Amino acid sequence: MQAPVFPKPYSCVSARDVSGKGGADVESFSTPPDAMRREHTALMEPLIRLTAHDMEHVNGLILSRTGSDVAMIPEVANHLISSGGKRLRPMLTLATALMFGYEGDGHVKLAAAVEFMHTATLLHDDVVDESDMRRGRVAARVNWGNEASVLVGDFLLGQAFKMMVEVGSLTALYILSTAAAVIAEGEVMQLAAAKNIATTPEDYFAVIRAKTAQLFSAACAVGPVIAGRPEADHNACALFGLNLGTAFQLVDDVLDYGGASTTLGKNVGDDLREGKMTLPAVLCILEATDQERDFWVRVMEEGDLQDGDFTEARRLMDKYRALERTVEEARRYADAASAALLACPANPVRDALASTVEFCIRRAS
Amino acid sequence: MQAPVFPKPYSCVSARDVSGKGGADVESFSTPPDAMRREHTALMEPLIRLTAHDMEHVNGLILSRTGSDVAMIPEVANHLISSGGKRLRPMLTLATALMFGYEGDGHVKLAAAVEFMHTATLLHDDVVDESDMRRGRVAARVNWGNEASVLVGDFLLGQAFKMMVEVGSLTALYILSTAAAVIAEGEVMQLAAAKNIATTPEDYFAVIRAKTAQLFSAACAVGPVIAGRPEADHNACALFGLNLGTAFQLVDDVLDYGGASTTLGKNVGDDLREGKMTLPAVLCILEATDQERDFWVRVMEEGDLQDGDFTEARRLMDKYRALERTVEEARRYADAASAALLACPANPVRDALASTVEFCIRRAS
């Protein structure tokens, strides 16, 4: 079995790659026409179909495990959970178990646990970012306060661990608890990098690897673990998830500057408003003129956002092909994810996962 | 083995018990003279001595597991961890393992995990309470912001679970992950009860059982678990911890109205300032005249604290013997804790735990 080559984090986004190239058409990153969107969604269809039966059980479990006599807990949890996240992560857990022929029901609990870990992170994230919106709805912290978001997040984390323990696989527990610690580490890293225009591509990749890719990786690795497969299969799936998660986050960060809020359920421009240093901005700042640098300092570091700043940011991203180059980078990670899948058994589930990789990338176009 | 009777949560604090009784001398709840304090501390000495060797390893582990390349993590974690908490909870884990003759080193990791769970709770608590002080020092959130407190708490929780997984006992994992969910539930319950003078003794006991006693209980139960003892022993230790934790919290809540800040490292009057409905206030409100009720509404619900309000609160607690009755309640739980110990092997560790129960109660006098 040949291990897929793990891409170097930012080699293809160095300045020399773009010298002499013209600006990209930023329009290509705006809302895709309906037909395109349908085509993209069709790429997710095989995964959704193959996991549909198990996802019903996951959704039932999510509902029952957010239950509590303390009324505020189901209120806050379901406000976020019912707001229509894609539930990609739990689907990945189900799929990677099914791909290896798993026939038990432990994957359902692990999938619900993964979704709870993700939801807890979002609740805590909103407190950290002081976000007012999440998935196109008012953030929980706005309705119930920061306190509730912190504590309900803690409750969901506790429930996640309980479900993992019930499944009884120490290896799965090790993978997911390690992910929990790494995710929190990544969040703190991001906090330190926030509003800091000296953030390098390395810093950025370290953050998204820890805070996004790690949970994708763990979500995928526990599938072959409970299917009783050898470590090589855990590693193949972990690598698949790590690369897919990285590609997914890169595309998310592109969409924040050019995507359609109807697709994402997230307001375009959030990252600029919050001074979040994502790769498109990092790439622009690396090559900025003195005047452009002043712009980024004002917007990102001083948080002094004025009318027309988003358009200006988009113009600069156009000038430096920052969105295109970020998508190119995402494509490299997506290719590495697909390569990792080749080490897994060829079957319809594997095909569905390959198609999901394509979906994640095509969202950006 | 006779199971110790678990005390009814608030039977002895009903109004009829105090009718006709005169006011207590509130001075008995203020700073104990040095000699008394030394005597109390001596009660902890056997536990400290018997766990000293293992606690060195626990402290080393705490230090190494707060390490991270992300500089803010050890900074925030150690600000709180080094601020001189009593580390009573990890000592209980060590002691309950030793009491059953455990000879491995898993208890050290479990003890460190318990302390991390506790520290994470404190970090998140401070965000929820908007506290400025913790253990006599500036709260972490004041120096590093709410974000850092939330995220470093998450990191510590992740590390706690990693350590538990490394120990490899699914039963210990089950007990501690259940505690994590219950603690968060208790915190949300407290949030709902905060600033609400309709809080009943039942509400209060439900909160402290979930948010304090549950971790004491789990900390004690995992000792016999990793010592490979049968379930009856887990239950005896769980009951011991639950009752001890309840007594401990009741005394803490008394000290907040009358204890010495040098003993507690906590400012007297915090609960009044934060509108936290602890038993001493609940007892006063249950029997309050209309005028007294107006006082509690203004202070607790409206948060309109004026000069002399603390003295007035103390006067009312004197009138209704609220602090004394809370200590009496604590004593009942302490007795139940001691009774639970009788089901455990008679040895110096058991004696040290019995002495620790006495210590927890005597702090209030």
Side-chain angles (χ1 to χ4, degrees), chain B residues 63-341:
Chain B
L63 205 65
S64 69
R65 294 301 178 106
T66 48
S68 166
D69 290 340
V70 185
M72 204 191 278
I73 290 177
E75 278 172 29
V76 174
N78 292 323
H79 172 81
L80 182 54
I81 291 173
S82 70
S83 66
K86 290 171 287 293
R87 304 213 175 162
L88 178 55
R89 293 160 189 81
M91 273 194 265
L92 291 172
T93 300
L94 297 176
T96 50
L98 296 173
M99 179 166 64
F100 287 98
Y102 180 66
E103 292 185 339
D105 56 7
H107 63 329
V108 169
K109 278 189 179 164
L110 289 180
V114 163
E115 183 69 3
F116 274 14
M117 284 176 68
H118 176 54
T119 308
T121 306
L122 295 184
L123 281 168
H124 287 185
D125 253 6
D126 285 342
V127 173
V128 170
D129 297 341
E130 301 180 352
S131 307
D132 294 331
M133 298 293 287
R134 166 68 67 186
R135 290 178 179 164
R137 291 175 79 168
V138 170
R141 69 175 206 99
V142 175
N143 282 352
W144 289 275
N146 279 341
E147 317 87 283
S149 290
V150 171
L151 298 176
V152 174
D154 290 350
F155 175 78
L156 293 179
L157 265 185
Q159 291 290 5
F161 278 102
K162 272 183 76 168
M163 285 190 279
M164 293 173 212
V165 173
E166 286 165 18
V167 174
S169 159
L170 279 168
T171 307
L173 269 160
Y174 178 78
I175 290 169
L176 286 165
S177 61
T178 301
V182 172
I183 291 165
E185 211 166 9
E187 299 274 351
V188 181
M189 233 189 278
Q190 183 172 49
L191 194 61
K195 304 181 202 304
N196 178 4
I197 69 156
T199 303
T200 63
E202 290 96 324
D203 296 334
Y204 167 81
F205 275 99
V207 167
I208 71 168
R209 188 163 306 178
K211 85 168 218 156
T212 306
Q214 196 70 32
L215 186 57
F216 273 79
S217 178
C220 292
V222 295
V225 167
I226 54 161
R229 302 291 308 172
E231 206 175 319
D233 292 334
H234 314 172
N235 293 342
C237 285
L239 196 56
F240 165 71
L242 196 71
N243 285 307
L244 175 63
T246 306
F248 184 86
Q249 186 61 56
L250 283 160
V251 170
D252 245 22
D253 291 344
V254 165
L255 287 169
D256 199 83
Y257 280 100
S261 65
T262 50
T263 305
L264 256 193
K266 185 180 171 184
N267 293 338
V268 168
D270 276 352
D271 293 342
L272 194 73
R273 248 189 311 277
E274 294 170 8
K276 202 174 271 180
M277 291 295 298
T278 60
L279 192 59
V282 170
L283 292 177
C284 289
I285 292 166
L286 273 183
E287 303 179 71
T289 65
D290 286 351
Q291 197 186 354
E292 287 166 10
R293 203 178 163 76
D294 291 345
F295 167 79
W296 291 112
V297 168
R298 173 172 62 76
V299 171
M300 289 291 188
E301 295 201 341
E302 297 167 4
D304 173 17
L305 208 71
Q306 299 171 2
D307 279 356
D309 280 348
F310 184 74
T311 307
E312 174 62 6
R314 280 288 298 262
R315 189 187 69 77
L316 294 173
M317 288 178 185
D318 187 14
K319 176 177 174 188
Y320 295 107
R321 294 182 62 249
L323 297 177
E324 277 200 345
R325 286 158 67 200
T326 302
V327 173
E328 285 162 17
E329 194 68 0
R331 164 59 69 191
R332 292 183 62 237
Y333 280 90
D335 289 347
S338 302
L341 273 184

Side-chain angles (χ1 to χ4, degrees), chain A residues 157-179:
Chain A
L157 265 185
Q159 291 291 6
F161 278 102
K162 270 183 79 169
M163 286 191 278
M164 294 174 212
V165 172
E166 285 165 21
V167 174
S169 158
L170 280 169
T171 307
L173 271 160
Y174 178 78
I175 290 169
L176 286 164
S177 61
T178 301

Side-chain angles (χ1 to χ4, degrees), chain B residues 7-24:
Chain B
K8 289 191 204 127
Y10 61 99
S11 58
C12 79
V13 292
S14 66
R16 67 180 182 285
D17 286 347
V18 291
S19 59
K21 291 188 184 169

